[in-house]
Amino acid sequence: MSLPEQSAFMMAWRIARRDLRGGLGGVQIFLLCLALGVASIAAVGSVRQAIDAGMTREAAIILGGDAEISFTHRFATDDERTFMRELASQVSETVDFRSMAVAGSERALTQVRGVDRLWPLYGRAGTDPEVAPNTPLQGANGEPGALMDPILAERLGLMPGDQFNLGTQVFELVALLVDEPDAGGSGFALGPRTIVPLWGLDGSGLLGPGTIYDSQYRLALPEGSDLGALQSRVEARMGDSGLRWRDTRAPAPGVAEFVDRMGAFLVLVGLAGLAVGGVGISASVRSYLSAKIATIATLRTLGAETSVIFGAYLIQIALMAVLGLVLGLALGAGLPVLFAPLIVARLPVPIDIGLYPGPLAEAGLYGLIAAFLFAIWPLARTGQVRAAALYRDGSSWGGLPERVYLFAIGALAVALIGAATLLSGMAMLALGMAVGIVGALGLLALAARAIRAIARLIRPRLRGRTALRAALAAIGAPGSDAVPVVLSLGLGLGILATMGQVDANLRAAIARDLPQVAPSYFFVDIQTDQIAAFADTLSGDGDVSRVDTAPMLRGTVTRINGQPAAEVAGEHWVIQGDRGLTFASEAPADGEIVAGSWWPDDYSGPPLLAFAAVEAAEMGIGLGDSLTVNVLGREITAEVAALREVDFSNAGIGFVLTFSPNALGGAPHTYIATVYAEEAAEARILREIGSAMPNVTAIRVRDAIDQVTQALTGLAQATALGASVTLITGFVVLIGAAAAGEPGRIREAAILKTLGAARGTILTSFALRSAILGAAAGVIAVLAGALGGWAVLESVMDSTFSFEWVSAILIVLGGALISLLAGLAFAWRPLAARPASILRHRG
């Protein structure tokens, strides 16, 4: 049957099948680019799913029970305890607070947990030496015993059997705490953990009226309990008492949210890598089809329609895409399994490494769309090949594809962005990154064309520099590899440059601002009868430049204008959990009040409050609105009388909510203080305050900021890992571009040899070409990174931006080096080629 008598699809299939008998030579870059992009997305998604599975499996252990009811600044009443025992088979009571552990002359901040005999309800604490579960923590001489984090014990010079103080109470270290089973649900802690029995805290002076602590009641519920119904029942019975409810449906919401957001962000970074790989896919398809021009021209002479030829090679590309997807998914699924011991050791949460279809399907979807998105443009150009290509050099073609192909490309781009927006869980970030990637690719493409134009402009002005002239001629030539080099390197380096600028600026801000602005210590839990002595102790100290104090309570915003706070303010951080509260009669400094007015010193009317202006605008709160706050189980409703600027960036005392004294003055409260002192005097001040007031807790601001810095370092490392995949993909694209350009360099080397150029000159020319393009990609990446860093710091982090030169220089040098290595890898065959055979064949 002749070609015209067959259906278009069957014709395309037969042509594709027969053409594939010659193998898939030349598509290695296509497969590598697609596989790397899909593998990175699949691996990140699989790890995120493994964490979710692990947290679901260990939910009760992470939380410490099937459900938890907690209170701020107080323990449950007898009636509340009775009600909880009606719901659960067992109820374990714990209390959590910060204190100073003192051993001899050494003292350190610790996060203390007081526990009862039932702790832990689920799981088992790991100790050294081993302590039997549910046994009383008690020392050899009758003192209360303690378990302590090994880091804290080493800092204090303690061994099991030694004694130390918390407040006025002496404790004996029974064992080192190796594993705290419910640590994952405890949230952020400023100090290492110490666990003591509840009864040992009775005479410690650490849990007085107004001191900052949280009590938790972990419930062991009957199997099959309806957690939603139980939560509703508890909130209906105790909803006005300031309780907080958690259960195994979300045992550690902060950790889960962080993992989800970080995982989604890394998936989006992986999509950036897939975009870089798309450049390689496009170049690889173009190179593959260039080798098929004779075949396409022959099909033309036999009467094959454009649609048939397009369909035949679309089938081939589809088969290649399937192979690349299989390789990528296998790699993405296998990497977490292969590195499971390392991943489990580095993550502080339970994780179930395994095969998860969801992340693999998501990665496969992204890869499939991207493969066709970047392959259609070169595929569409098969229609430009004519039969005459059999008789002349038809290795190049140009121009835009037909409208139908442009429409298909646009539809695929929208599908890819839409999938990322819907599946990532971070719609605005996904859209922003998509716009950024498209913009960056467009900018890089324009820059590549500008580089070619500049090369053509400069070359005629050079005299006597053969290697440089040859390099510039190659860059400016119509078949130049400037576009794939700049695109592939520029995007990966741009992500690294953005991350480098943000990281360097944040570290510089911490180093720059801490000594000048931040206090040396926060002192908390200063009792009302201690505040005068505290101020007197520091007022005459020459090393202390400033002391600020304020009364402090904690409360939860429950209602705004009579409506549930969550319905009005959504998930704003001010209503998530309890907040620090204060009261003051004296008006703040001039200019701090931006709206409304402060109350008189002797005000005795209905409760009033001043709200932080920025947060009020975010929550839609204005003058005259009312807020209801639960403080120690009591509901207090106050009217917003003033909006004030609150600067949280200087690490000083700052409260979102400041009440009139008549609203909170009668409630049990303590004082918080910030002390600004010379660094050399900090240890002495800590000893003096600790000796005179053992119940007072000191938080060293430098230590807290060090923890923030470590967290930023972890985020930077995770982002760098994601960006490195993008960079590796870019290097693969470079290798592909160099391999595709090898025949051209062979001919170029033959011509230069014929004209008398030495091998060293030719090699220098090749090296200069690669280095110039790599450096240019690095420069463009630095510009894009500076713009991205500025946007992140100014818009997202509300910080100032300063261009960081060291990171920028490293990016430019790295781009030049990577491009140089890729170019030199394919320079040896052109140098070894004999000019006569090459030119005779081409002629």
Side-chain angles (χ1 to χ4, degrees):
M1 189 162 44
S2 64
L3 288 179
E5 295 175 342
Q6 302 178 57
S7 70
F9 174 77
M10 289 304 300
M11 247 193 294
W13 170 249
R14 291 186 63 190
I15 292 170
R17 182 166 51 84
R18 291 180 178 180
D19 197 32
L20 285 173
R21 291 174 183 173
L24 291 174
V27 298
Q28 294 88 344
I29 301 301
F30 178 102
L31 297 176
L32 274 175
C33 289
L34 184 58
L36 281 174
V38 170
S40 62
I41 296 172
V44 169
S46 295
V47 171
R48 183 172 63 168
Q49 190 71 35
I51 293 174
D52 289 342
M55 293 184 69
T56 299
R57 174 176 54 83
E58 302 289 344
I61 295 176
I62 294 171
L63 182 62
D66 296 307
E68 177 191 270
I69 298 172
S70 59
F71 302 94
T72 298
H73 288 351
R74 72 178 185 89
F75 289 94
T77 64
D78 290 340
D79 287 343
E80 289 168 338
R81 286 187 172 94
T82 300
F83 176 61
M84 285 187 276
R85 292 191 186 100
E86 293 174 0
L87 300 176
S89 57
Q90 287 183 309
V91 179
S92 173
E93 182 180 43
T94 65
V95 64
D96 198 273
F97 61 96
R98 287 182 292 269
S99 185
M100 301 299 294
V102 181
S105 61
E106 299 294 331
R107 61 189 64 235
L109 180 68
T110 178
Q111 194 77 25
V112 182
R113 171 175 284 174
V115 301
D116 62 6
R117 288 279 300 273
L118 294 176
W119 180 86
L121 276 181
Y122 298 112
R124 181 171 179 174
T127 60
D128 182 21
E130 186 175 353
V131 175
N134 306 124
T135 56
L137 284 173
Q138 188 167 324
N141 298 316
E143 301 94 346
L147 307 175
M148 184 178 284
D149 188 294
I151 294 176
L152 179 61
E154 182 179 1
R155 189 178 302 167
L156 296 174
L158 295 175
M159 297 289 289
D162 294 341
Q163 294 182 338
F164 66 97
N165 278 68
L166 291 173
T168 58
Q169 178 66 57
V170 177
F171 292 85
E172 180 179 316
L173 180 60
V174 174
L176 301 178
L177 181 64
V178 179
D179 179 34
E180 184 183 3
D182 50 353
S186 300
F188 180 75
L190 286 173
R193 174 70 76 188
T194 300
I195 292 178
V196 299
L198 274 171
W199 62 268
L201 296 171
D202 291 341
S204 65
L206 297 173
L207 299 178
T211 54
I212 301 172
Y213 66 87
D214 291 313
S215 63
Q216 300 96 20
Y217 298 85
R218 274 73 180 270
L219 313 180
L221 300 172
E223 187 174 352
S225 296
D226 186 336
L227 294 173
L230 280 175
Q231 180 179 359
S232 298
R233 183 179 172 188
V234 168
E235 290 175 347
R237 171 76 176 268
M238 304 163 57
D240 295 333
S241 62
L243 69 87
R244 296 187 301 278
W245 169 279
R246 286 195 300 165
D247 56 50
T248 51
R249 293 173 296 178
V255 174
E257 183 178 7
F258 174 79
V259 170
D260 284 343
R261 289 184 175 272
M262 195 64 197
F265 176 72
L266 289 177
V267 166
L268 294 176
V269 173
L271 283 173
L274 200 55
V276 173
V279 178
I281 289 171
S282 183
S284 180
V285 172
R286 180 187 176 97
S287 176
Y288 175 75
L289 293 176
S290 293
K292 300 290 184 178
I293 283 182
T295 303
I296 297 172
T298 301
L299 290 171
R300 283 288 193 189
T301 65
L302 296 175
E305 298 291 338
T306 300
S307 60
V308 173
I309 297 174
F310 176 85
Y313 287 99
L314 180 64
I315 291 171
Q316 293 186 26
I317 297 303
L319 293 174
M320 297 178 200
V322 170
L323 180 57
L325 288 176
V326 170
L327 293 174
L329 293 176
L331 185 61
L335 283 176
V337 176
L338 181 64
F339 292 100
L342 180 62
I343 295 172
V344 170
R346 292 295 298 272
L347 290 177
V349 292
I351 180 170
D352 279 349
I353 298 292
L355 297 178
Y356 296 96
L360 299 182
E362 182 180 346
L365 176 63
Y366 290 144
L368 189 63
I369 296 174
F372 287 106
L373 171 63
F374 289 97
I376 283 181
W377 188 296
L379 273 173
R381 292 180 173 178
T382 55
Q384 300 173 10
V385 178
R386 299 291 179 259
L390 284 170
Y391 308 105
R392 65 171 183 264
D393 185 4
S395 60
S396 63
W397 52 65
L400 289 175
E402 296 178 10
R403 290 182 182 178
V404 63
Y405 301 120
L406 293 175
F407 177 80
I409 292 171
L412 287 169
V414 170
L416 185 60
I417 295 172
T421 302
L422 292 174
L423 297 177
S424 68
M426 303 172 69
M428 294 308 297
L429 179 60
L431 284 173
M433 182 163 282
V435 171
I437 291 173
V438 172
L441 288 174
L443 177 64
L444 290 167
L446 290 175
R449 294 183 181 278
I451 291 167
R452 291 173 57 186
I454 292 171
R456 289 195 298 268
L457 181 66
I458 294 176
R459 178 182 167 275
R461 304 174 186 274
L462 298 175
R463 295 288 185 270
R465 299 180 182 179
T466 305
L468 182 56
R469 282 171 58 87
L472 292 175
I475 292 172
S480 167
D481 55 1
V483 173
V485 169
V486 172
L487 283 177
S488 58
L489 260 186
L491 192 56
L493 290 175
I495 294 173
L496 285 178
T498 301
M499 184 196 67
Q501 292 292 330
V502 172
D503 185 58
N505 271 271
L506 288 177
R507 292 178 186 278
I510 291 171
R512 179 182 65 249
D513 296 341
L514 177 59
Q516 300 175 6
V517 178
S520 302
Y521 283 105
F522 271 98
F523 287 95
V524 299
D525 291 336
I526 307 170
Q527 299 297 315
T528 54
D529 59 354
Q530 294 176 318
I531 188 63
F534 179 89
D536 290 343
T537 300
L538 298 174
S539 60
D541 194 321
D543 292 320
V544 176
S545 58
R546 176 178 158 194
V547 178
D548 296 331
T549 63
M552 180 174 178
L553 306 87
R554 296 193 72 82
T556 304
V557 179
T558 58
R559 293 184 176 275
I560 300 173
N561 293 327
Q563 301 297 316
E567 293 182 7
V568 178
E571 297 183 356
H572 196 278
W573 66 268
V574 169
I575 64 172
Q576 299 296 310
D578 57 285
R579 299 265 74 81
L581 314 173
T582 191
F583 57 88
S585 57
E586 184 178 347
D590 293 341
E592 193 171 311
I593 302 296
V594 298
S597 58
W598 204 260
W599 42 85
D601 290 347
D602 58 351
Y603 179 76
S604 59
L608 299 176
L609 68 86
F611 205 93
V614 173
E615 285 67 27
E618 293 171 350
M619 298 170 66
I621 294 173
L623 297 177
D625 289 338
S626 67
L627 268 74
T628 301
V629 182
N630 188 289
V631 181
L632 298 174
R634 176 189 169 194
E635 297 279 344
I636 298 174
T637 300
E639 180 184 326
V640 178
L643 299 177
R644 59 184 297 199
E645 290 291 348
V646 180
D647 184 7
F648 296 103
S649 64
N650 59 14
I653 295 178
F655 290 92
V656 175
L657 296 126
T658 302
F659 287 80
S660 56
N662 65 321
L664 297 178
H669 62 273
T670 56
Y671 279 79
I672 183 174
T674 53
V675 176
Y676 298 75
E678 297 295 329
E679 187 174 357
E682 290 178 354
R684 175 182 59 79
I685 292 170
L686 180 61
R687 287 194 300 271
E688 291 176 359
I689 297 296
S691 299
M693 306 170 190
N695 63 291
V696 173
T697 299
I699 302 172
R700 190 169 184 261
V701 173
R702 295 178 192 274
D703 293 340
I705 292 180
D706 284 345
Q707 287 202 34
V708 175
T709 303
Q710 290 175 6
L712 289 174
T713 300
L715 290 174
Q717 289 174 346
T719 307
L721 182 62
S724 65
V725 176
T726 303
L727 203 55
I728 291 171
T729 306
F731 187 70
V732 170
V733 177
L734 282 182
I735 293 294
E742 190 177 52
R745 280 191 291 275
I746 290 175
R747 186 182 183 191
E748 181 183 342
I751 294 173
L752 289 173
K753 286 179 182 180
T754 303
L755 295 175
R759 290 167 60 92
T761 302
I762 299 172
L763 181 61
T764 303
S765 170
F766 291 163
L768 284 172
R769 178 197 312 184
S770 298
I772 290 170
L773 288 177
V779 169
I780 298 165
V782 166
L783 295 176
L787 182 62
W790 171 82
V792 170
L793 288 163
E794 295 282 351
S795 302
V796 179
M797 297 185 175
D798 195 22
S799 181
T800 57
F801 173 77
S802 177
F803 186 75
E804 207 281 321
W805 285 99
V806 175
S807 171
I809 292 172
L810 290 176
I811 290 290
V812 175
L813 292 177
L817 180 61
I818 292 172
S819 181
L820 179 62
L821 292 175
L824 291 180
F826 290 88
W828 308 113
R829 282 186 59 191
L831 289 176
R834 295 180 179 275
S837 60
I838 300 299
L839 297 178
R840 184 185 306 116
H841 175 73
R842 298 292 295 186

